[in-house]
Each structure stands twice: as structure tokens, then as C-alpha cells.
């Protein structure tokens, strides 16, 4: 029933009051918009409140000179290194901490001893702990891993550790860390030089699963086969010493990667003379390790539309056949990098293409790929091109690429990044006719992994975040950007960064906050990659818009280029540069396991009362007439039942001619008195509202997932038109569980339906409560047949025992079919 205007307003006020108190009982209120500064570190002279490096920001510098020899037959590295450590901190250091990542593979390492039986390996679960009805199982892959580690002495051998004067330095190995006690304290602004010899046996990556190792190809023409060696985390290197944590010497358990100090590298790599080497940095002695023709090709590749082969496929195939006892030393230099990695094999063909990015930093970048015949056309067509595409997109969002080379190397590692060099896995499949083919998924995988790993050169190899502590700052930011670059390559490829890609994870119970330290994350992929990438995608496309987001993100990248940011620096920069308070967003997406589930529960339709009884009472009479006829009355009428009033028409009174909606002069006089009592501005506003006769709708929403987000609406009207409306997340600031919103439309815009998040922008986990009225849920009918049981007792042994044993040749024929 329509109410007078004043009462209508009162109804609105009371409904809002009710919504704000429904679930906010004493002690229950939670402020989703509470300022995050209470949880973030206090700004200081090293990191200021705007998210910038402070005026006393510092970081250490470490320079390396390394000479390493690859023993191909023994799968072993023997090397020496000289290290110069410069203390730029305000602290005096009595000792230094180094990383010994190869020690992770020792049988008594913390990583091995703390691995629970059902823990998944990097490439997926290899074991099963079983349950009450299923016995525990051990996979063949895990057996292979156990056997390799039992058969090989793994971990570092550290020898001849001494200072620049030749004096031995006392050191203590603590798992994957080593403490070196200095002869005298290292004061601020001072540096210390020391050296050591070291060696280790290289793991077979396919057997053990690491971030580096060798891969063996027994079927190559050369007697004994060939290997591809990918060497990373291969030399003792300094832990970072920071203003926020001091030494970052947390034990390496295999998942969380690392943060390191920037420095200059001079590295000599001695390998079999027929090997081709790819490495961090720029090759210094091309004349000594490349033929004149290869040098000429490398020069030609600087200015070409498509990649040029430096080492052709035919040359690589010839190398595969022979082998040699001779050796060559490749020398690389890299300035201002935080790590060094390399690959070596006689199987490598090598292509290159110059990327002319212009500018003054590094006008020409050589994009290069190294891969064996197994890479085939897949690598020939797409690897180097994907490098160049990545550099173009990432530089637009951050800064010009600052290094002379960017490389993609094929080997046993599926995807891993280091300064100027990445390891990427997908390959072609050899067919019976000698051709090599690849699936659509392998093509997508290669393009995606090259974009992702090359992107890591920016984050975290230049914007130097600490992945062991905050995995998302590395993987999440990069996954967001590789999604941007990927969709600029081909949006038909599923890049995994759309809001819909994270809804299953966000509504699951098997999750932890994004801010969780890497070794404690339950599901690394969704937690560290997908969820933060989706969050940033939503922040760019839905919350801030591209202009504000892109400006702020680029500001962050440039502020922290070659420096070490923390989450607070990112959060503060994005807010300070965009001018938008985002504390609610960071808190919900990064500090909680809440999910997005906004439901539209009710829609109330209201119309302006005129206060004129001749109009309003007529409206109420029509509403009463439009109500459905009572089922009893309808059936009485259909049976021909004659009513008492119809049988006795001579008995009537006043109310047979006048109902409760009849207007009297008393109501008319009251209406006139009401008008006379209005102030001029009140009467003007009232009469305008009556004339416009707009529609008033109150929409009631509930937040079932806990994560506050903007409410994005699609409004459908009776005339066939639609309207989109975006309500900021701040509507939840007084009540994060239930809110109401008044929507006013013109009188010819009659609302017929409402839909929340029509384009799936917010990662809402239940879209069925996004409709009002509710829709019929689309599903399907699928015919299926119940499968027979495969348990041992269900086997028909009486029949199966008649089966003849096939020969090996018959098995092969069956496999081909």
C-alpha cells in the first residue's frame, strides 16, 4: 500500500537502520576499512610513508670473479671464486652469511628431513599418504629420486676459504647457509675481499627435480649420448643484509627462492670445446669461442625482422654426433645484476634477433634462444619472438630494459628465471615419419612460459623483492603483467589471470592469506600466482581504472628499480601515486581468506505519494483490485453459488455505494492545510517531485563472502533498455555484512530485473545470487553408463587367464594403434 511522502521517507530511514544493525551486535563489528598502517612497518629514513626509498636508503654490493670447469663425464662443477663485499649499511658486521643452495639435496638437509610423506614435489604429488580405506602408495618417480640421491654425493665441498692476505677464514655451515667469521669487524663504508674453491655433483633434474641440473639424451648419435646442463644456484653467494630483516638467512627448503645483492660479475666457464654456452651477461671473447661465420651471423642478427641462426640446426646435429676431449673457456661479464646462471650443451642451436628499444640506457638488446633439435619449429618460430614481445610490453609498464641480452634456453627445467637468462621447457614430439609436431597446449605453454620468465627479469631481478618471504611480490606481480603481455599476444590463449580463474580457490577451505611466507603456503599456484594477479587485474580494470593504475604501477617500478621493495612499499606507492585509499583492498585480498560473494536479496519498489486524496486513494483502490482473486471465491463463482448480497438487493446501506477508498472533504481539507503549511522551498521540491513522478527502488544486498568489493549492477527496464551502475566498495564502510541502496529512475523507466557483476569482474564465487528475480540455473543432461568395478575381487580371472601373452613387437604395434 502506498504511504504518504513523509512516512515513505521514514520507511527508507528505518530500513537502512535495520540493515546496519541486523548483524552488528555488541562485540561483532569488523571495520573492513580500518587503516592498514596499523599493520604495516612504521615509515623511517630508509622507507618513507609514500612508499619511496627514504633519504638514507642503502643496500650492500657484492662483486664476483668466478672460474668454473664443467666435467661433462662426471656431471660435476669444480670452481674458484673471489668475492668483494662492500658494507653500505650503517651497521658494523662481524660475520657474513652465504647461501649454499646445493646443500638442500643432502640427505640430512632440513628440506629432506622436514618433507612430509604426502607433500607434493614441484612438479606435482609423487606420493600418497593414504587413508583408512586406501593404503599409502609410492610412485616410481619418487623411487627414482630416492635412488639417485642415495647413489650420489650431493651438496657443496668448500675448500681453501681465505681472506685477501691468504689467511684462512673460520666458517660454519648451517644447512644451506654458511657463516664466515671476519678477521676484523667490517665497518660502514668498508669492503672485504675473500676467496674459496668449491665443487659439487650436478643433480639429474628429471630424477631429483630442482631449479637446475642436467638432462641426459641416451639416443643421440654420439656414443654414450649427450647432456644439456642448466646451472643455477651453482656458486656460494652472499645472503642479502637488509634494513628490514638484517641477514635474510632463512633455510632454503626448495620452494621460496631468494633475494640477493646487486654486483658486478666476471665469470670464466670452461666446457667441452664443442659446447655452446648461454649465460648471464655479455660474451667477452667471441673471437675465441665462435667461428668467423658465427661472429658474422651474430652481427647480422642485430638488425633483422626475424631471428638469425648463430649456430644452425645442422651444425648442432653435427656437434651431437662427435664429442671432443678439447675444452674452451667462455668469458662473460655482467654489471649490476643480482645473480648469475648459465647453460651448456653441444646440442644447442642458437638464434638471435636485435630489439631496438631506443633510449639512452640500452638502445639495442640481443634477444636470443638456445635449444636442441627437440625444440623444433616450436622454438624456431616463437621463443625469440616472445622475448621481444615481453620486453616491449614490460618496458611500457615499468622502465627500459637495462641489460644487453635477454635469453631463453631449453632444457630440463620447465620455467625458471635469472638475470638476462631464463630456462624454459616445452618441446616438440618426434613422429614415426621423422617429423616433429607439437600440440596447441605445448605452443601455448612455450609462449606463456617465455613471457613469464623473461618478465621475471624485471620482477624480481631488477625490482628486487624477496620471494622467500613474500612470494606474491615476485610471482603475483609478474603473473599479472604476463597476463597483460599475453593478451596483447593472443587473447584466445587462457592466461589464468581473469577473475573467474580464481573463484574455485577463493571459496575453498584449503588456503592461507597471500601474505603467508612461501614455505607455509598450502597451494602455491593459486596463492602466489593467480590470486594476486587477479587482484591486480581487478584493481586496474575495475577499481582504479587503467590511467590511475598504470601511472602508479610505473611509479613503483621506477622507484624500486635496482632496489629492494617490501609489500608496504608497494601498497603505499600504489595509494600515494593513484590518490585512492586502498587499505580495504589490500587487507581483504592479501591479509585474509575472505572471498567475494555479494547477494542481492530484495528489491523494494516505491512511488511518490501526492498527498492529494483524490489521486492517492484511487491508486490504492487499483492496487487492491489487482490482487489475485481468492481461490475460494473463484470456485464459488464457478459453481454458480449465489451470494447473499445478490439474493437480497433490497437490503443496502451507505457502504454498498462507498468503500474505504472513498474520498471525503475532510481528507481534501487536510491536503489543503498540508500545502499551506509547507515553506516555499518545501512546496517547490514537493510539487516538482509530484510532477516528475519518478520510480524509487531500494535494493538490499548482503555480503556472504566477507570480502568487500564494489557493487557492479546491470539494471534492466520494461522498455528493453539497460543501465550499468558502479557503486564503490565504500558503501560497506559502516556495515560490511548488509547494505541497502536507493535507486531513482524516471517514470518511464520501470525496473524489471537486477544483476550483480554481469561481466564477472570481481571474482564473485556464487553468481546465482547475483540475480533479482532469481534465474533458472543453466545446467545440462548428460547420458552416462555406470562403470564396472575394477577391484581385484571383481576380475573375471576364469576368463582372463585364457589371454595369450603378447610379444614385445605386438605391444609396440598396439601402442601405435
Amino acid at each position: 500500500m502506498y504511504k504518504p511522502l513523509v512516512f515513505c521517507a521514514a520507511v527508507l530511514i528505518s530500513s537502512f537502520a535495520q540493515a546496519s544493525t541486523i548483524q552488528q551486535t555488541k562485540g561483532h563489528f569488523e571495520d573492513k576499512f580500518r587503516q592498514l598502517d596499523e599493520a604495516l612497518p612504521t615509515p623511517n629514513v630508509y622507507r618513507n610513508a609514500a612508499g619511496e626509498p627514504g633519504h638514507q636508503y642503502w643496500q650492500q654490493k657484492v662483486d664476483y670473479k668466478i672460474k668454473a670447469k664443467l666435467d661433462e663425464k662426471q656431471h660435476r662443477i669444480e670452481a674458484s671464486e673471489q668475492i668483494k663485499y662492500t658494507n653500505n649499511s650503517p651497521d658494523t658486521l662481524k660475520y657474513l652469511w652465504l647461501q649454499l643452495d646445493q646443500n638442500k639435496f643432502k640427505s640430512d638437509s632440513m628440506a629432506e628431513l622436514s618433507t612430509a610423506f604426502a607433500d607434493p614435489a614441484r612438479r606435482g604429488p609423487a606420493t600418497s599418504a593414504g587413508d583408512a580405506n586406501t593404503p599409502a602408495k609410492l610412485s616410481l618417480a619418487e623411487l627414482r629420486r630416492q635412488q639417485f640421491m642415495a647413489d650420489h654425493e650431493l651438496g657443496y665441498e668448500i675448500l681453501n676459504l681465505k681472506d685477501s692476505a691468504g689467511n684462512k677464514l673460520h666458517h660454519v655451515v648451517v644447512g644451506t647457509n654458511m657463516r664466515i667469521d671476519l678477521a676484523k669487524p667490517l665497518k660502514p663504508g668498508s669492503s672485504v675481499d675473500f676467496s674459496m674453491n668449491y665443487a659439487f655433483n650436478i643433480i639429474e633434474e628429471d630424477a631429483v627435480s630442482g631449479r637446475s641440473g642436467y638432462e641426459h639424451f641416451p639416443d643421440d648419435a654420439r656414443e654414450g649420448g649427450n647432456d644439456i646442463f642448466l646451472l643455477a644456484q651453482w656458486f656460494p653467494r652472499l645472503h642479502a643484509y637488509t634494513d628490514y630483516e638484517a641477514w635474510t638467512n632463512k633455510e632454503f627448503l626448495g620452494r621460496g627462492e631468494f633475494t640477493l645483492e646487486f654486483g658486478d660479475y666476471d665469470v670464466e666457464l670452461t666446457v667441452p670445446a664443442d659446447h655452446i654456452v648461454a649465460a648471464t651477461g655479455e660474451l667477452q671473447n667471441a673471437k675465441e669461442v665462435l667461428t668467423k661465420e658465427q661472429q658474422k651471423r651474430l652481427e647480422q642478427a642485430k638488425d633483422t625482422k626475424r631471428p638469425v641462426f648463430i649456430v644452425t640446426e645442422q651444425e648442432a646435429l653435427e656437434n651431437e654426433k662427435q664429442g671432443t676431449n678439447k675444452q674452451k673457456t667462455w668469458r662473460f661479464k655482467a654489471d649490476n645484476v643480482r645473480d648469475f646462471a648459465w647453460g651448456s650443451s653441444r646440442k644447442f642451436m642458437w638464434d638471435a634477433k636485435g630489439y631496438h628499444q631506443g633510449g639512452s640506457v640500452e638502445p639495442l638488446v640481443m634477444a636470443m634462444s638456445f635449444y636442441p633439435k627437440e625444440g623444433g619449429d616450436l622454438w624456431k618460430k616463437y621463443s625469440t619472438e616472445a622475448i621481444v614481445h615481453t620486453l616491449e610490453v614490460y618496458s611500457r609498464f615499468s622502465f627500459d630494459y637495462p641489460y644487453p641480452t635477454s635469453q631463453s634456453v631449453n632444457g630440463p627445467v620447465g620455467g625458471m628465471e635469472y638475470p638476462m637468462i631464463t630456462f624454459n621447457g616445452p618441446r616438440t614430439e618426434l613422429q614415426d615419419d621423422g617429423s616433429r609436431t607439437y600440440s596447441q597446449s605445448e605452443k601455448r605453454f612455450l609462449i606463456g612460459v617465455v613471457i613469464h620468465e623473461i618478465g621475471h627479469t624485471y620482477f624480481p631481478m631488477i625490482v628486487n623483492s624477496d620471494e622467500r618471504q613474500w612470494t606474491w611480490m615476485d610471482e603475483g606481480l609478474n603473473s599479472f603483467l604476463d597476463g597483460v603481455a599475453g593478451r596483447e599476444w593472443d587473447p584466445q590463449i587462457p592466461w589464468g589471470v581473469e577473475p573467474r580463474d580464481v573463484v574455485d580457490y577463493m571459496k575453498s577451505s584449503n588456503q592461507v592469506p597471500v601474505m603467508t611466507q612461501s614455505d607455509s603456503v598450502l597451494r602455491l599456484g593459486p596463492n602466489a600466482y593467480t590470486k594476486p594477479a587477479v587482484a591486480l587485474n581487478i584493481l586496474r580494470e575495475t577499481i582504479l581504472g587503467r590511467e590511475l593504475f598504470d601511472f602508479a604501477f610505473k611509479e613503483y617500478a621506477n622507484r624500486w628499480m635496482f632496489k629492494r621493495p617490501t609489500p608496504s612499499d608497494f601498497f603505499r606507492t600504489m595509494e600515494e601515486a593513484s590518490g585512492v585509499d586502498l587499505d580495504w583492498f589490500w587487507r581483504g585480498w592479501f591479509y585474509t581468506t575472505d572471498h567475494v560473494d555479494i547477494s542481492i536479496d530484495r528489491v523494494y519498489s516505491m512511488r511518490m505519494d501526492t498527498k492529494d486524496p483524490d489521486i492517492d486513494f484511487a491508486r490504492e483502490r487499483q492496487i487492491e483490485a489487482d490482487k489475485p482473486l481468492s481461490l475460494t471465491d473463484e470456485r464459488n463463482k464457478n459453481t454458480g453459488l449465489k451470494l447473499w448480497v445478490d439474493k437480497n438487493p433490497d437490503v443496502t446501506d451507505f457502504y454498498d455505494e462507498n468503500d474505504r477508498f472513498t474520498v471525503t472533504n475532510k481528507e481534501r481539507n487536510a491536503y489543503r492545510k498540508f500545502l499551506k503549511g509547507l515553506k516555499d522551498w518545501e512546496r517547490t521540491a514537493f510539487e516538482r517531485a509530484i510532477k516528475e513522478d519518478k520510480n524509487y527502488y531500494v535494493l538490499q544486498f548482503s555480503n556472504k563472502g566477507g570480502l568487500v568489493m564494489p557493487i557492479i549492477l546491470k539494471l534492466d527496464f520494461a522498455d528493453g533498455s539497460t543501465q550499468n551502475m558502479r557503486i564503490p566498495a565504500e558503501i560497506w564502510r559502516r556495515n560490511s555484512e548488509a547494505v541497502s541502496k536507493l535507486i531513482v529512475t524516471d517514470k518511464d523507466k520501470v525496473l524489471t530485473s537486477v544483476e550483480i557483476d554481469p561481466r564477472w569482474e570481481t571474482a564473485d564465487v556464487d553468481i546465482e545470487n547475483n540475480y533479482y528475480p532469481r534465474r533458472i540455473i543453466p545446467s545440462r543432461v548428460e547420458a552416462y553408463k555406470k562403470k564396472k568395478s575394477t577391484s581385484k575381487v571383481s576380475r573375471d580371472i576364469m576368463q582372463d587367464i585364457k589371454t595369450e601373452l603378447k610379444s614385445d613387437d605386438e605391444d609396440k604395434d598396439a601402442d601405435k594403434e
Side-chain angles (χ1 to χ4, degrees):
M1 183 171 62
Y2 292 111
K3 302 294 182 185
L5 175 66
V6 176
F7 185 68
C8 184
V11 169
L12 279 175
I13 294 171
S14 66
S15 69
F16 284 130
Q18 183 184 19
S20 62
T21 57
I22 287 175
Q23 298 186 39
Q24 288 184 8
T25 54
K26 184 177 180 181
H28 183 70
F29 176 72
E30 181 182 2
D31 185 1
K32 303 280 187 177
F33 292 83
R34 190 172 182 175
Q35 291 300 289
L36 195 60
D37 278 350
E38 298 173 353
L40 298 179
T42 303
N44 52 49
V45 295
Y46 309 127
R47 300 164 189 276
N48 70 22
E52 292 182 288
H55 64 278
Q56 293 185 33
Y57 176 84
W58 57 267
Q59 63 187 35
Q60 313 292 57
K61 186 174 188 291
V62 190
D63 302 322
Y64 297 84
K65 289 185 177 181
I66 306 174
K67 295 182 179 180
K69 179 182 177 181
L70 170 63
D71 186 332
E72 181 179 29
K73 185 175 181 180
Q74 299 298 323
H75 299 110
R76 181 175 174 83
I77 292 290
E78 295 180 350
S80 64
E81 66 179 355
Q82 299 177 20
I83 300 175
K84 182 182 182 68
Y85 186 89
T86 302
N87 181 16
N88 293 320
S89 79
D91 307 323
T92 297
L93 304 179
K94 298 177 183 178
Y95 47 79
L96 307 176
W97 280 101
L98 278 72
Q99 301 188 43
L100 303 180
D101 292 344
Q102 292 295 321
N103 284 4
K104 170 193 175 290
F105 303 110
K106 287 178 170 286
S107 60
D108 61 350
S109 70
M110 183 182 291
E112 286 299 307
L113 295 176
S114 66
T115 299
F117 181 68
D119 275 1
R122 283 183 63 215
R123 60 164 62 99
T127 58
S128 170
D131 54 34
N133 300 313
T134 306
K137 294 182 291 185
L138 193 64
S139 70
L140 290 175
E142 179 61 17
L143 283 173
R144 180 188 184 189
R145 180 178 181 274
Q146 295 285 340
Q147 291 164 2
F148 182 92
M149 296 182 70
D151 293 343
H152 296 82
E153 187 85 20
L154 300 178
Y156 280 115
E157 299 172 32
I158 305 295
L159 306 167
N160 202 25
L161 178 58
K162 58 186 181 181
D163 62 20
S164 58
N167 300 313
K168 288 186 176 181
L169 289 171
H170 180 262
H171 66 282
V172 178
V173 174
V174 186
T176 60
N177 299 320
M178 179 172 71
R179 191 189 76 232
I180 298 178
D181 297 329
L182 300 175
K184 60 179 182 179
L186 185 63
K187 295 182 179 180
S190 301
S191 61
V192 62
D193 295 278
F194 61 96
S195 62
M196 73 182 81
N197 297 333
Y198 67 93
F200 66 92
N201 295 319
I202 305 169
I203 65 166
E204 184 176 3
E205 207 281 339
D206 286 340
V208 177
S209 184
R211 300 177 189 273
S212 63
Y214 73 88
E215 178 182 11
H216 188 59
F217 295 80
D219 296 330
D220 280 357
R222 177 175 175 263
E223 184 179 354
N226 288 304
D227 299 289
I228 292 178
F229 294 89
L230 299 183
L231 280 304
Q233 295 164 252
W234 63 282
F235 62 100
R237 55 211 173 137
L238 268 296
H239 272 291
Y241 183 77
T242 72
D243 61 277
Y244 58 81
E245 191 182 359
W247 287 106
T248 57
N249 54 357
K250 190 179 189 302
E251 181 85 3
F252 179 47
L253 301 180
R255 173 178 282 177
E257 293 177 17
F258 40 80
T259 186
L260 296 163
E261 307 289 6
F262 287 100
D264 300 333
Y265 286 73
D266 188 339
V267 180
E268 296 181 10
L269 303 169
T270 300
V271 300
D274 55 357
H275 274 216
I276 297 298
V277 176
T280 295
E282 197 166 23
L283 180 63
Q284 301 296 300
N285 61 336
K287 293 181 179 180
E288 299 173 19
V289 297
L290 300 180
T291 66
K292 289 184 179 180
E293 181 61 27
Q294 289 168 344
Q295 295 174 54
K296 181 181 177 181
R297 295 169 184 165
L298 188 57
E299 188 66 27
Q300 292 173 341
K302 293 179 180 179
D303 190 12
T304 181
K305 183 178 180 180
R306 296 287 178 237
V308 170
F309 277 102
I310 315 306
V311 176
T312 67
E313 181 174 14
Q314 190 57 43
E315 289 169 343
L317 290 173
E318 287 301 315
N319 284 343
E320 274 194 4
K321 297 176 183 178
Q322 301 300 322
T324 178
N325 293 324
K326 295 180 180 180
Q327 295 179 332
K328 282 184 180 179
T329 297
W330 297 58
R331 185 183 178 196
F332 294 87
K333 292 187 71 174
D335 295 334
N336 203 22
V337 295
R338 69 169 222 172
D339 202 359
F340 190 102
W342 55 292
S344 181
S345 179
R346 66 175 51 84
K347 292 174 64 65
F348 284 153
M349 61 185 88
W350 169 11
D351 71 42
K353 172 183 174 179
Y355 166 51
H356 295 267
Q357 70 172 346
S360 59
V361 176
E362 201 68 56
L364 174 65
V365 179
M366 291 305 296
M368 303 189 292
S369 296
F370 301 77
Y371 47 95
K373 63 180 184 295
E374 288 79 6
D377 283 348
L378 179 61
W379 275 73
K380 293 175 188 176
K381 290 181 178 179
Y382 296 116
S383 177
T384 299
E385 295 290 355
I387 294 174
V388 173
H389 176 74
T390 307
L391 299 180
E392 290 174 341
V393 175
Y394 274 67
S395 295
R396 195 170 76 238
F397 277 79
S398 56
F399 40 73
D400 286 350
Y401 185 77
Y403 297 130
T405 65
S406 183
Q407 303 162 73
S408 170
V409 183
N410 180 244
V413 179
M416 195 60 206
E417 76 284 351
Y418 300 92
M420 296 185 243
I421 189 169
T422 63
F423 302 155
N424 304 304
R427 290 182 180 147
T428 60
E429 187 74 22
L430 179 63
Q431 304 301 333
D432 290 339
D433 61 2
S435 65
R436 288 191 171 274
T437 61
Y438 51 87
S439 66
Q440 184 184 51
S441 64
E442 285 165 335
K443 173 186 173 180
R444 290 176 169 181
F445 181 21
L446 177 67
I447 295 168
V449 74
V450 172
I451 292 175
H452 182 84
E453 304 305 340
I454 294 295
H456 271 312
T457 306
Y458 294 79
F459 305 90
M461 295 299 149
I462 298 171
V463 180
N464 186 16
S465 57
D466 181 356
E467 184 178 356
R468 192 163 302 173
Q469 188 69 21
W470 304 293
T471 310
W472 70 268
M473 289 196 74
D474 173 351
E475 300 297 355
L477 264 66
N478 188 49
S479 294
F480 159 70
L481 275 182
D482 85 46
V484 174
R487 284 172 289 187
E488 289 188 21
W489 177 287
D490 182 358
Q492 297 302 314
I493 300 175
W495 293 99
V497 295
E498 296 287 351
R500 58 178 172 266
D501 295 323
V502 79
V503 294
D504 286 341
Y505 174 67
M506 291 189 70
K507 66 184 178 183
S508 73
S509 58
N510 189 26
Q511 59 172 309
V512 294
V514 169
M515 287 292 288
T516 303
Q517 193 272 336
S518 61
D519 294 312
S520 299
V521 173
L522 299 180
R523 297 171 63 191
L524 190 68
N527 179 277
Y529 293 71
T530 310
K531 185 176 178 180
V534 168
L536 294 178
N537 194 40
I538 292 172
L539 190 61
R540 182 180 188 234
E541 302 288 4
T542 299
I543 309 295
L544 293 178
R546 291 190 172 190
E547 182 179 3
L548 291 181
F549 179 93
D550 293 355
F551 176 83
F553 191 88
K554 190 162 189 171
E555 180 71 14
Y556 164 75
N558 281 273
R559 285 180 178 183
W560 292 98
M561 182 182 185
F562 294 119
K563 295 182 177 67
R564 180 175 286 114
T566 66
S568 61
D569 300 315
F570 178 70
F571 296 153
R572 285 168 170 156
T573 295
M574 292 300 292
E575 290 195 24
E576 192 268 347
S578 70
V580 179
D581 183 358
L582 297 169
D583 286 11
W584 63 271
F585 185 82
W586 309 129
R587 187 185 298 278
W589 279 88
F590 290 81
Y591 287 85
T592 77
T593 56
D594 291 346
H595 59 264
V596 183
D597 184 7
I598 300 173
S599 170
I600 181 164
D601 300 324
R602 295 176 186 82
V603 177
Y604 292 99
S605 173
M606 298 181 294
R607 190 178 182 186
M608 183 73 183
D609 283 349
T610 68
K611 296 285 284 184
D612 184 340
D614 290 299
I615 297 175
D616 292 345
F617 279 37
R619 288 178 177 175
E620 293 183 28
R621 178 183 286 113
Q622 186 60 48
I623 291 174
E624 188 71 18
D626 290 340
K627 290 180 179 179
L629 183 65
S630 161
L631 185 60
T632 299
D633 293 342
E634 180 180 350
R635 287 175 175 172
N636 286 345
K637 182 178 180 181
N638 291 339
T639 59
L641 180 68
K642 198 167 185 178
L643 302 178
W644 187 93
V645 294
D646 293 331
K647 291 187 292 183
N648 302 279
D650 58 317
V651 183
T652 62
D653 67 2
F654 174 83
Y655 290 105
D656 288 306
E657 300 295 330
N658 298 278
D659 60 14
R660 58 193 176 96
F661 300 113
T662 298
V663 180
T664 69
N665 288 334
K666 181 179 181 181
E667 283 85 24
R668 295 186 179 99
N669 290 335
Y671 170 57
R672 293 173 182 174
K673 183 178 180 181
F674 164 75
L675 293 177
K676 290 180 181 179
L678 293 176
K679 296 177 181 179
D680 290 344
W681 68 265
E682 290 176 325
R683 183 158 185 166
T684 299
F686 176 72
E687 289 178 345
R688 176 178 170 179
I690 295 298
K691 182 179 179 181
E692 292 176 341
D693 193 20
K694 293 194 173 186
N695 300 303
Y696 298 85
Y697 301 98
V698 175
L699 281 59
Q700 289 191 344
F701 304 96
S702 60
N703 182 1
K704 298 181 179 298
L707 185 55
V708 295
M709 286 291 282
I711 304 175
I712 303 170
L713 298 176
K714 176 175 174 284
L715 307 175
D716 294 321
F717 299 98
D719 62 2
S721 64
T722 62
Q723 178 185 342
N724 296 318
M725 175 179 288
R726 291 176 177 266
I727 304 172
E730 281 74 9
I731 193 173
W732 303 99
R733 66 190 182 276
R734 298 179 185 277
N735 186 337
S736 63
E737 296 179 344
V739 294
S740 297
K741 180 66 177 176
L742 173 65
I743 294 177
V744 182
T745 68
D746 292 337
K747 62 180 179 180
D748 59 342
K749 288 290 184 181
V750 177
L751 188 64
T752 57
S753 65
V754 180
E755 181 182 354
I756 298 176
D757 195 12
R759 302 194 66 176
W760 297 2
E761 296 179 51
T762 65
D764 195 310
V765 305
D766 182 7
I767 63 171
E768 297 310 327
N769 59 22
N770 291 6
Y771 296 89
Y772 197 92
R774 294 288 186 258
R775 69 170 185 171
I776 296 175
I777 300 174
S779 189
R780 66 177 184 176
V781 176
E782 182 177 357
Y784 68 94
K785 191 175 181 179
K786 186 176 181 180
K787 293 182 179 180
K788 293 182 179 180
S789 172
T790 57
S791 66
K792 288 183 174 59
V793 296
S794 67
R795 293 184 302 146
D796 187 352
I797 302 176
M798 185 180 296
Q799 174 62 27
D800 294 347
I801 203 167
K802 302 174 186 176
T803 305
E804 294 183 6
L805 186 64
K806 291 182 179 179
S807 67
D808 290 342
D809 290 339
E810 289 175 318
D811 279 338
K812 289 179 181 178
D813 291 340
D815 289 342
K816 289 179 181 179
E817 292 176 6

